[in-house]
Amino acid sequence: MTEPALSVVATGLTGEFHALGVLDWPDLHPARHLGLLYRERDERVLLTVALAVRALRAGSVCLDLDRVRAGLTGRDDELVEVPDELWPTLPEWLDALAASPLVALGPAGDPARPLRLIDHKLYLTRYWQQEEQVRVTLQQRATSPSAPPPRQLDEWLAELFPGADVDPDQRRAVAQVATEGVTVLAGGPGTGKTTTIARMLALLVRQGVRRIALAAPTGKAKTRLEEAVREAARDLPRDVAASVEQLGASTLHRLLGARPNARPAFRHNRDNPLPHDVVIIDELSMVSLTMMARLTDALAPHTRLVLVGDPDQLSSVDAGAVLSDLTQAAWLGTTRGGPVVRLRRNYRFTGLLGDLAEAIRAGEAEQVLGLVTAGQPTLTLTPPNHAHDALRARVVTAGRAIQAAAVAGDAAQALRLLDGHRLLCAHRHGPFGATTWARRAEQWLRASGAVIGAEGEWYAGRTVLVTVNQPDWGIYNGDTGVVLTDTGRALVHLGGTTRPLSPELLGPTQSLDALTVHKAQGSQFDAVTLVLPDVESPLLTRELLYTAVTRAREAVHVIATPEALRAAVQRTARRASGLRDRL
Ligand SMILES: Nc1ncnc2c1ncn2[C@@H]1O[C@H](COP(=O)(O)OP(=O)(O)OP(=O)(O)O)[C@@H](O)[C@H]1O
């Protein structure tokens, strides 16, 4: 493919990085544009702009000049060695940036300039402002004096945490919500985050707080939160349980009043803050810095904020690693030890799966390998060259059971079976990618005698993943379902909704035959098979492995070489940001 108009840009230093595959056109365009606008010709500055844009596309909020050389990858995600002579030395680089009309220096630098250098980190100004918005809001809340505790606090806590075996961290988190402007509740799956949210809600009801918002970043996570809170409410004292059960959740976009194609893009902002007394956000690991900035911008000074999630999971698709940053920050200036409460005890996984998740989290590669090669049927490791034999039977059994239930017109059973087994991949494309494995799974099913319709056909048993939000229909990106044809026409039954829908309403969908780990975030399955890429792949990280493994309730099957599995445990996906260091 020729890109004539752009060949002009790819000269000099940026051209060299482009030739190596490190910089792509979406990185070079803004660099060239800003260079022309500000009459900046210094190649080192233009390179920095392009690298900063590239860093953003990879999830980092800024470009960390101290670490920029490590782990650079090319267009096919392969590691690229950039020759030393192409890199400016750090002092020379900092001097060039300091002299550039594009760059504001330090927190007080000219806000009109498009880039900002903070220590050795280079930001696009917009992201610097977002990071500051989040930092200042959270720091103010964490350092302002606590509200006086309600007189009956101990009594209420004793009612919500009866018995001798009380989880002290859960109790502390609930108590904190009664008096603090911000609480961060962090814990892995099964550590009781939802249980704790339900108890927080009960305490707030006792306190007479009425305006409570419960939200999650995706439609799927919102539905799950609503269901989980309703279930956890059953264990609450009867008179508060009813109020807690009635609380609906919304997506974060809906809470903030997203208005497509309008200005401002969100109805709630500093000029029109949210009317709530308490705002609780679940699955915070999936929230990008930009959304977090919008949320903090829309908080009234009196609104208490509760942020909940698992900081060891993969971060948001867009730039930022907000929850991970919040849990690693020192929370300077706080006298009460900061707002973070970590839940450590696991109430759901007490067996091998719990051990595996913990070993991954702790970075214990040999222990992880030991667990998956100990001969347990629920934890296995299969080398890629034997993947077909191992996986085929699992895919065919699960797929045929779903189809049998769908053909028999049993939607409830088909939906239950949908979450029986999920094939997860790190990559979207290529030999280790979800699209490749989805095609393979479909071939296996067809060869087994399952009736798979032609491309685009809505046949009974076809599985569906919704990929766009349609709040008016109650349909959200990430919803899953299955097609039934027993009424004489194809209808899609989605989990969590009662009414089957015509396929045309769903917008673009994909099959559930294989998904990326990112797409499976926020869901759980009985068994997970995880296809890991080569040891070289930059997507092979501890966060990815942990997220995939913690999707499983009963069994995890990994398809990888021992070297790739070891590398995944040892490599952490650290995103550059300043939030962690400046809080
Ligand atoms: N303090 C506790 N004592 C006994 N059981 C508990 C306690 N806390 C939670 N549980 C139980 O542990 C299980 C997991 O709890 P919960 O769903 O709240 O965890 P979670 O962190 O929200 O998990 P996930 O992130 O997977 O949704 C539930 O069955 C819950 O009833």
Side-chain angles (χ1 to χ4, degrees):
M1 196 171 65
T2 53
E3 288 145 321
L6 297 165
S7 61
V8 184
V9 199
T11 54
L13 205 45
T14 48
E16 303 261 14
F17 276 75
H18 176 249
L20 287 165
V22 171
L23 291 177
D24 216 334
W25 298 111
D27 314 318
L28 297 171
H29 263 311
R32 172 173 162 74
H33 179 72
L34 285 176
L36 287 173
L37 207 61
Y38 284 76
R39 296 175 195 279
E40 174 58 88
R41 291 212 175 81
D42 191 319
E43 278 290 324
R44 296 162 301 184
V45 176
L46 299 180
L47 173 69
T48 324
V49 180
L51 287 173
V53 174
R54 179 188 183 279
L56 262 178
R57 294 199 298 121
S60 285
V61 169
C62 55
L63 181 72
D64 187 340
L65 298 181
D66 290 327
R67 301 197 309 138
V68 63
R69 294 185 186 206
L72 278 179
T73 50
R75 290 189 191 96
D76 294 321
D77 288 339
E78 80 287 3
L79 282 172
V80 174
E81 202 61 59
V82 177
D84 273 350
E85 61 272 19
L86 289 186
W87 291 107
T89 64
L90 186 62
E92 183 195 325
W93 206 346
L94 292 171
D95 284 348
L97 291 171
S100 173
L102 281 171
V103 183
L105 297 178
D110 180 356
R113 295 192 178 192
L115 303 176
R116 183 168 302 253
L117 187 65
I118 305 287
D119 301 325
H120 293 176
K121 293 192 171 86
L122 187 93
Y123 289 80
L124 301 193
T125 295
R126 188 152 70 90
Y127 286 87
W128 158 254
Q129 287 163 343
Q130 291 174 1
E131 195 176 276
E132 275 300 272
Q133 159 72 47
V134 173
R135 183 186 71 79
V136 170
T137 306
L138 296 184
Q139 202 151 41
Q140 274 172 355
R141 275 152 199 277
T143 51
S144 55
S146 315
R151 209 166 23 84
Q152 310 93 316
L153 183 60
D154 287 340
E155 194 185 305
W156 293 336
L157 288 171
E159 178 193 34
L160 293 171
F161 292 91
D165 187 21
V166 167
D167 186 321
D169 300 317
Q170 291 183 356
R171 190 179 188 281
R172 185 157 71 87
V174 174
Q176 200 167 300
V177 169
T179 58
E180 304 301 321
V182 57
T183 296
V184 181
L185 180 64
T191 51
K193 295 186 297 299
T194 317
T195 308
T196 307
I197 291 178
R199 289 176 180 169
M200 285 173 173
L201 294 171
L203 186 99
L204 292 166
V205 171
R206 283 269 184 266
Q207 233 187 327
V209 177
R210 289 283 170 265
R211 293 178 304 180
I212 304 169
L214 207 51
T218 66
K220 175 104 183 161
K222 158 218 124 71
T223 308
R224 228 183 130 223
L225 173 65
E226 226 162 44
E227 286 165 2
V229 166
R230 210 168 293 147
E231 188 159 329
R234 290 201 198 122
D235 297 333
L236 295 174
R238 191 130 18 111
D239 58 325
V240 285
S243 310
V244 172
E245 273 171 23
Q246 275 165 19
L247 272 170
S250 65
T251 62
L252 191 47
H253 274 80
R254 191 152 247 219
L255 174 71
L256 295 175
R259 308 186 311 167
N261 310 321
R263 294 270 138 218
F266 289 85
R267 203 171 60 250
H268 291 293
N269 48 50
R270 68 185 54 199
D271 299 323
N272 176 29
L274 289 165
H276 304 93
D277 300 311
V278 177
V279 170
I280 302 178
I281 310 292
D282 193 19
E283 296 281 9
L284 194 78
S285 61
M286 291 195 244
V287 176
S288 67
L289 175 69
T290 302
M291 268 322 270
M292 190 64 192
R294 287 186 181 129
L295 170 68
T296 48
D297 188 44
L299 288 181
H302 77 276
T303 304
R304 285 176 253 171
L305 180 64
V306 182
L307 304 169
V308 186
D310 182 352
D312 295 307
Q313 281 197 34
L314 281 171
S315 299
S316 53
V317 175
D318 293 326
V322 175
L323 180 61
S324 164
D325 285 346
L326 298 189
T327 53
Q328 289 176 43
W331 290 94
L332 305 167
T334 54
T335 49
R336 305 181 289 275
V340 181
V341 180
R342 252 189 191 277
L343 303 183
R344 293 178 194 280
R345 186 165 153 191
N346 200 319
Y347 294 93
R348 192 182 296 132
F349 303 121
T350 42
L352 285 171
L353 276 187
D355 294 346
L356 179 65
E358 190 45 39
I360 295 168
R361 212 180 66 76
E364 300 287 351
E366 295 315 313
Q367 199 185 336
V368 170
L369 271 163
L371 281 164
V372 294
T373 53
Q376 296 291 333
T378 54
L379 275 191
T380 63
L381 177 67
T382 307
N385 52 346
H386 291 120
H388 290 226
D389 309 337
L391 189 53
R392 186 173 184 145
R394 226 174 284 138
V395 165
V396 168
T397 309
R400 301 227 34 181
I402 294 168
Q403 184 154 63
V407 169
D410 189 345
Q413 173 68 351
L415 284 172
R416 251 191 312 278
L417 291 168
L418 217 50
D419 288 345
H421 173 252
R422 188 72 81 247
L423 174 56
L424 300 179
C425 302
H427 288 247
R428 214 175 317 163
H429 304 292
F432 304 105
T435 47
T436 307
W437 284 86
R439 244 191 336 268
R440 200 165 288 157
E442 194 183 299
Q443 282 160 5
W444 288 338
L445 273 167
R446 195 172 297 211
S448 79
V451 182
I452 308 282
E455 175 94 31
E457 196 182 318
W458 296 92
Y459 56 90
R462 173 171 165 181
T463 60
V464 173
L465 174 78
V466 174
T467 58
V468 291
N469 288 326
Q470 306 207 57
D472 293 342
W473 291 100
I475 305 169
Y476 294 99
N477 185 355
D479 283 350
T480 56
V482 62
V483 177
L484 266 71
T485 55
D486 55 322
T487 53
R489 67 188 187 115
L491 288 173
V492 182
H493 293 248
L494 291 174
T497 55
T498 45
R499 211 157 40 91
L501 298 163
S502 176
E504 294 77 49
L505 290 176
L506 302 180
T509 63
Q510 66 178 83
S511 92
L512 291 173
D513 289 332
L515 295 187
T516 59
V517 178
H518 257 298
K519 280 245 154 81
Q521 225 172 338
S523 303
Q524 290 234 298
F525 317 102
D526 294 340
V528 162
T529 300
L530 171 65
V531 179
L532 286 181
D534 262 348
V535 89
E536 290 276 286
S537 164
L539 297 188
L540 194 64
T541 62
R542 185 183 303 170
E543 290 78 3
L544 176 107
L545 180 64
Y546 175 86
T547 305
V549 162
T550 52
R551 296 311 91 214
R553 285 185 280 251
E554 290 162 16
V556 172
H557 306 287
V558 184
I559 294 177
T561 59
E563 295 73 38
L565 182 57
R566 202 176 276 123
V569 179
Q570 286 165 345
R571 208 182 286 156
T572 68
R574 200 171 151 183
R575 291 181 166 190
S577 102
L579 194 56
R580 186 177 33 222
D581 301 332
R582 291 171 46 80
L583 257 176

